[in-house]
C-alpha cells in the first residue's frame, strides 16, 4: 500500500481497510493512545507478524531440491522455479548446475548431459517436449489400468455364470441317451451352453450334410484361429477401391500377367515356414484393448540417419514411400537420384517427384528393433506428416498392420516386435493438416496480396534471363560478383565488365551500403482515415524455428538502422514468417488493420502489355533489381510509430518503408517514374523495383548502362548484384518470353499443357 501526499492521520485511517482475519483482530485489540504516528503503527505491525515473513533462500538451499522417485518432470521444474524466485543472489550458471544435480536418471537428464544448456530459459523450452511425453505416457497407463480392471471383472462374472450353469445342470440330472445319433448329441451340447464357442462365420458352409453344419463350422474356426492371421476365410464385400497415393518409381515392378493369388501364396508360404509357431496377431491379447474402436490413422516414430522422426504415417494403400522435402533437408539429404514420373493423389492430382534416395531406416522400440534400407520418393509439398510409409517398405519389413488395434507387428530375429500407434500425434497431424490450408489463405490475404503490394509475383513472372550466366568480380573483394550473359563476344564481354567495375559503387553488398533516398525528394506518408480507431493486435505464438528466425532478422534490421525500439505504440501488428524458395525465412508484417484504415492511393501502375511490347525485339537486355527497394525509402517521422510490430524481443517500428503496407507499391512506382522520367520508354522499362535496360544495337548498350548508373548514383539508389543479369539476349519479363525476334511462347507454360494427364473417362473430357 502506498499513499502519496497523505498525512499520518489519513494513513492510520486507511490502513485498517487493508487488513483481514487475524491481522484485523490484532488491530482491534491495540491499547488506547499507544499509536501516535503511522510509523508507530507500522513498527508494531511488523513486530507482531515478523514470523509470517517469507524466508529468503540461499543459493546452497537449491541443492536440497531433488526430484522424487515417482515425481513428474513438470512438478519438479515448478518447485525449482518457485525456489529460484526466493533466492537473493540469482546466478543462472549456478541454477543450471543445481537443477541438473536434483534430477533423477531419465531421458531428459541424459539430454542435458549430452548438450549442456546455457540458461534456465533453454532448459524450460527443452523440458516442454519431455513433459508432454510423460503426461501422454501417464494417460496411457491410467487407461490401461482401468481397462485391465474391467476385463478382470468381466472374466470373474463369466466364470461365476459358468459355475451357476454347471450346478443347475447337475441338479437336473438330465443326460442325453448314448444311443442317439451323433448330430443330435452335438446339437444338445450346443443348446446346453456349457461350452463357449467362437462366433459363427458369415454364412460359411462345409459339406452337404445340414445336420453337421453347425459343428463343422465351429471346428473349422477353431483350426483357423491357430493358424496365421494373414490368411482370411472369405473376402469382404466392398463398393470399390480408393488409392491414397498411386504411381511413382518402382524398383521391382510386378508383372501385370502374374496372378494375384500366386503372389499371395508365395508370401504366405514364406511367412509360414519362417514363423509357423508365432502368430503375428492374436485376438486373445488385451494389451491394445483400449485402442479398439478408434478410427485414428496409424502414426508411429522411426529412426533414420541418427534422427528420431515422428509423424510417420503407415499407409497400406500407398504404392510409394513418401519423404517430404522439408524433412529431407533436416536429415541432410543432398544427392537425389533423378526419377522421371509423377505421383497421382486421391482426386487424380499430379505431384511432381524431385527424386529418390535410399536411407537405412530403423523400426521398433526398446523391446526390439529392425533396420532395413528404404527407397523414398522425395516430393516438395506441404503436409502434416514427415514421412508416408507405403507398401514397398511394409513388405520388406514383413509387417502386419492392424488398424483395429492400432498396432504393427514384424519379426526381429526369433521374436516378434510390436509397435503401437501414437494417437495423440495422429490427432495433431489431422489438426495441422487443417491449419496448413488456413495459414496459406491467411498469408495470401494479410501479407502477399497483390492488390496491396505489386512486388509479390509468382517466380515465373519475376524478371530472369533465359540461357546460361556466369559470375564476374566487379568489386574489391572476391565475393563481390554479379552475373553476365555467356552469348557475348570477347570484345563485348570485356567492355561490359569494364563498365560494371567502373560503377561498382551503385551495387549494395549489405544493408549498410544503402545511403537511402533523400526524404525531401521522396518519403512514404500514412494517410489514416479520420475517426479510425487504433488497433493493437495480441501477440501470436510462434514455433521455436520461427522465433529464432525472427530474433535474427530483428537484429539485422537494428544493425542496418531500419527499425528502432518503441514504447506505448497505439497501432501494433504481428509478424508473419513466410518460407522462401531457398528454405530461408522472410519476415513480413500483418498490417491488415492498418491497411483497412488507410484509403488506397490511386497512383497508376504501368500497363503490362505496354511494358512487354516495349522490351521485346531488342538485341541486348540487362535485367536489374533494386536492393531491398522498399527499404530505400524513408518513412515520414510522424508516421513511424504507426507501423509498429511486436516480437519476443519487444516492440519495434520501421524507420524505412516496410513491405506489406497498402500504398507502398504506389509510392515506389512514383519514385521510379520521377527518377527515370527522361529514359522510361526509350532506353528502359520499370515495373515497381524491376528494371529492364534495352538496346537495339550491342554497341549502344554499354553507353545506355552508363547513363542508367549515373541516374542511380545521383538519386542514391542501389542495386542487388545477386539478382541482376547484364548483357543477355533473351529473358522472361512479367511472365512473357522476350527475344530479339519479339514475344515468343513461354516453354514453362507449354510444358504444363504437355504434362497434362489424358482424360480417363467421358466425364473428364467435358
Amino acid at each position: 500500500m502506498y499513499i502519496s501526499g497523505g498525512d499520518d492521520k489519513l494513513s492510520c485511517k486507511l490502513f485498517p481497510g487493508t487488513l483481514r482475519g487475524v491481522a484485523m483482530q490484532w488491530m482491534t485489540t491495540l491499547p488506547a493512545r499507544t499509536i501516535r504516528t503511522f510509523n508507530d503503527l507500522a513498527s508494531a505491525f511488523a513486530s507482531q507478524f515478523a514470523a509470517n515473513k517469507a524466508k529468503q533462500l540461499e543459493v546452497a538451499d537449491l541443492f536440497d531440491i531433488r526430484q522424487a522417485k515417482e515425481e513428474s518432470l513438470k512438478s519438479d521444474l515448478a518447485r525449482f522455479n518457485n525456489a529460484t524466485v526466493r533466492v537473493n543472489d540469482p546466478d543462472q550458471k549456478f541454477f543450471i548446475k543445481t537443477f541438473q544435480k536434483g534430477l533423477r536418471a531419465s531421458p531428459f537428464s541424459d539430454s542435458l548431459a549430452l548438450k549442456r544448456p546455457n540458461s534456465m530459459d533453454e532448459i524450460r523450452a527443452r523440458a516442454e517436449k519431455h513433459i508432454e511425453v510423460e503426461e501422454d505416457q501417464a494417460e496411457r497407463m491410467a487407461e490401461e489400468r482401468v481397462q485391465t480392471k474391467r476385463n478382470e471383472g468381466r472374466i470373474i462374472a463369466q466364470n461365476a455364470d459358468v459355475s451357476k450353469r454347471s450346478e443347475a445342470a447337475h441338479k437336473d440330472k438330465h443326460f442325453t441317451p448314448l444311443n442317439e445319433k451323433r448330430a443330435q448329441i452335438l446339437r444338445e451340447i450346443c443348446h446346453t451352453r456349457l461350452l463357449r464357442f467362437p462366433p459363427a462365420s458369415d454364412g460359411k458352409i462345409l459339406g452337404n450334410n445340414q445336420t453337421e453344419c453347425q459343428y463343422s463350422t465351429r471346428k473349422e474356426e477353431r483350426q483357423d484361429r491357430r493358424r496365421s492371421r494373414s490368411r482370411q476365410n472369405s473376402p469382404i464385400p466392398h463398393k470399390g477401391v480408393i488409392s491414397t497415393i498411386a504411381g511413382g518409381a518402382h524398383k521391382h515392378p510386378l508383372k501385370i500377367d502374374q496372378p494375384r493369388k500366386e503372389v499371395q501364396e508365395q508370401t504366405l508360404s514364406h511367412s509360414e515356414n519362417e514363423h509357423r509357431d508365432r502368430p503375428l496377431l492374436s485376438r486373445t491379447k488385451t494389451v491394445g484393448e483400449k485402442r479398439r474402436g478408434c478410427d485414428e490413422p496409424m502414426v508411429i516414430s522411426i529412426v533414420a540417419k541418427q534422427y528420431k522422426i515422428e509423424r510417420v504415417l503407415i499407409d497400406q494403400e500407398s504404392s510409394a514411400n513418401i519423404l517430404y522435402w522439408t524433412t529431407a533437408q533436416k536429415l541432410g539429404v543432398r544427392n537425389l537420384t533423378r526419377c522421371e514420373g509423377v505421383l497421382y493423389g486421391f482426386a487424380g492430382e499430379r505431384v511432381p517427384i524431385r527424386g529418390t534416395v535410399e536411407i537405412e531406416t530403423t523400426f521398433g522400440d526398446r523391446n526390439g528393433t529392425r533396420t532395413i534400407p528404404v527407397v523414398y520418393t522425395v516430393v516438395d509439398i506441404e503436409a502434416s506428416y514427415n514421412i508416408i510409409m507405403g507398401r514397398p517398405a511394409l513388405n520388406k519389413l514383413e509387417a502386419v498392420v492392424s488398424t483395429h488395434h492400432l498396432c504393427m507387428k514384424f519379426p526381429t530375429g526369433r521374436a516378434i516386435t510390436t509397435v503401437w500407434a501414437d494417437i495423440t500425434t495422429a490427432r495433431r497431424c489431422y489438426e495441422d493438416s487443417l491449419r496448413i490450408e488456413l495459414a496459406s489463405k491467411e498469408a495470401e490475404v494479410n501479407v502477399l496480396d497483390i492488390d496491396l503490394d505489386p512486388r509479390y509475383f509468382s517466380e515465373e513472372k519475376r524478371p530472369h534471363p533465359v540461357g546460361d550466366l556466369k559470375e564476374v568480380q566487379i568489386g574489391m573483394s572476391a565475393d563481390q560478383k554479379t552475373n553476365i550473359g555467356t552469348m557475348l563476344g570477347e570484345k563485348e564481354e570485356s567492355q561490359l565488365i569494364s563498365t560494371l567495375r567502373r560503377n561498382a559503387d551503385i551495387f549494395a553488398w549489405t544493408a549498410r551500403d544503402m545511403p537511402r533516398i533523400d526524404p525531401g525528394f521522396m518519403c512514404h506518408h500514412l494517410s489514416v482515415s479520420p475517426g479510425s480507431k487504433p488497433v493493437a493486435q495480441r501477440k501470436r505464438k510462434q514455433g521455436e524455428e520461427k522465433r529464432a528466425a525472427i530474433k535474427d532478422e530483428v537484429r539485422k534490421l537494428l544493425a542496418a538502422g531500419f527499425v528502432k525500439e518503441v514504447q506505448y505504440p497505439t497501432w501494433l501488428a504481428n509478424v508473419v514468417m513466410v518460407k522462401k524458395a531457398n528454405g530461408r525465412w522472410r519476415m513480413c508484417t500483418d498490417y491488415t488493420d492498418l491497411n483497412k484504415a488507410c484509403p488506397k492511393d490511386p497512383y497508376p501502375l504501368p500497363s503490362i502489355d505496354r511494358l512487354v511490347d516495349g522490351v521485346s525485339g531488342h538485341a541486348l537486355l540487362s535485367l536489374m533489381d533494386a536492393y531491398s527497394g522498399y527499404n530505400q525509402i524513408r518513412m515520414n517521422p510522424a508516421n513511424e510509430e504507426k507501423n509498429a510490430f511486436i516480437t519476443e524481443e519487444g516492440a519495434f517500428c520501421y524507420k524505412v518503408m516496410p513491405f506489406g503496407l497498402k500504398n507502398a507499391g504506389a509510392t515506389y512506382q512514383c519514385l521510379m517514374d520521377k527518377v527515370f522520367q527522361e529514359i522510361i520508354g526509350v532506353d528502359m522499362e520499370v515495373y515497381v523495383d524491376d528494371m529492364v535496360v534495352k538496346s537495339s544495337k550491342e554497341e549502344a548498350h554499354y553507353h545506355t548502362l552508363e547513363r542508367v548508373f549515373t541516374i542511380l548514383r545521383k538519386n542514391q539508389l542501389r542495386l542487388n548484384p545477386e539478382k541482376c543479369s547484364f548483357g543477355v539476349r533473351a529473358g522472361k519479363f512479367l511472365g512473357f518470353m522476350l527475344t530479339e525476334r519479339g514475344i515468343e511462347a513461354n516453354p514453362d507454360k507449354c510444358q504444363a499443357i504437355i504434362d497434362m494427364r489424358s482424360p480417363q473417362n467421358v466425364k473428364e473430357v467435358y
Side-chain angles (χ1 to χ4, degrees), residues 187-366:
R187 190 179 294 108
E188 291 292 337
I189 293 175
C190 294
H191 290 320
T192 55
R193 297 184 180 179
L194 294 178
L195 300 178
R196 296 183 60 197
F197 292 96
S201 62
D202 296 337
K204 184 171 182 179
I205 299 176
L206 301 178
N208 297 322
N209 192 350
Q210 298 295 332
T211 59
E212 297 182 4
C213 177
Q214 298 179 2
Y215 171 74
S216 300
T217 302
R218 289 174 170 80
K219 181 178 179 181
E220 184 66 22
E221 289 178 356
R222 289 196 298 272
Q223 293 176 355
D224 290 342
R225 184 176 295 146
R226 300 188 185 97
R227 298 173 186 168
S228 174
R229 293 301 177 186
S230 60
R231 188 178 301 174
Q232 297 185 3
N233 295 331
S234 59
I236 301 175
H238 55 76
K239 296 181 179 179
V241 179
I242 298 177
S243 299
T244 304
I245 294 178
H250 298 283
K251 189 174 182 180
H252 301 290
L254 293 175
K255 297 181 180 179
I256 298 177
D257 57 348
Q258 186 176 7
R260 182 180 182 88
K261 184 176 180 181
E262 179 183 347
V263 178
Q264 291 178 345
E265 289 177 356
Q266 293 176 2
T267 306
L268 290 174
S269 62
H270 173 74
S271 178
E272 287 182 335
N273 293 335
E274 188 174 356
H275 314 291
R276 185 176 300 276
D277 300 328
R278 291 177 288 150
L280 290 181
L281 289 178
S282 175
R283 291 184 182 177
T284 59
K285 190 168 183 178
T286 60
V287 176
E289 191 74 23
K290 70 184 182 66
R291 291 174 170 81
R292 294 183 182 179
C294 295
D295 292 331
E296 304 296 342
M298 184 75 182
V299 179
I300 64 172
S301 301
I302 63 171
V303 176
K305 286 186 174 291
Q306 300 181 352
Y307 284 93
K308 179 182 178 182
I309 306 175
E310 298 179 342
R311 300 189 174 215
V312 178
L313 175 65
I314 302 299
D315 188 357
Q316 301 178 80
E317 298 299 328
S318 174
S319 65
N321 308 312
I322 308 300
L323 175 63
Y324 292 96
W325 178 239
T326 54
T327 308
Q329 288 178 315
K330 294 179 181 179
L331 292 177
V333 176
R334 293 293 181 268
N335 299 325
L336 298 178
T337 303
R338 187 176 180 181
C339 175
E340 298 292 340
V342 293
L343 296 176
Y344 293 99
F346 174 81
E349 65 272 15
R350 300 158 58 93
V351 179
I353 299 175
R354 292 184 66 102
T356 60
V357 61
E358 186 177 71
I359 302 176
E360 294 288 333
T361 307
T362 302
F363 299 81
D365 53 15
R366 64 184 65 181

Side-chain angles (χ1 to χ4, degrees), residues 73-86:
L73 176 60
K74 182 178 181 180
S75 175
D76 179 62
L77 183 60
R79 288 196 302 114
F80 190 86
N81 289 337
N82 293 336
T84 55
V85 176
R86 297 164 54 190

Side-chain angles (χ1 to χ4, degrees), residues 63-76:
F63 283 104
D64 297 333
I65 303 176
R66 294 185 175 274
Q67 186 178 9
K69 184 177 181 180
E70 300 296 333
E71 186 181 12
S72 64
L73 176 60
K74 182 178 181 180
S75 175
D76 179 62

Side-chain angles (χ1 to χ4, degrees), residues 547-561:
R547 285 202 300 266
I550 292 172
K551 188 176 181 180
D552 294 340
E553 189 66 22
V554 170
R555 289 181 178 177
K556 293 178 182 178
L557 292 174
L558 285 172

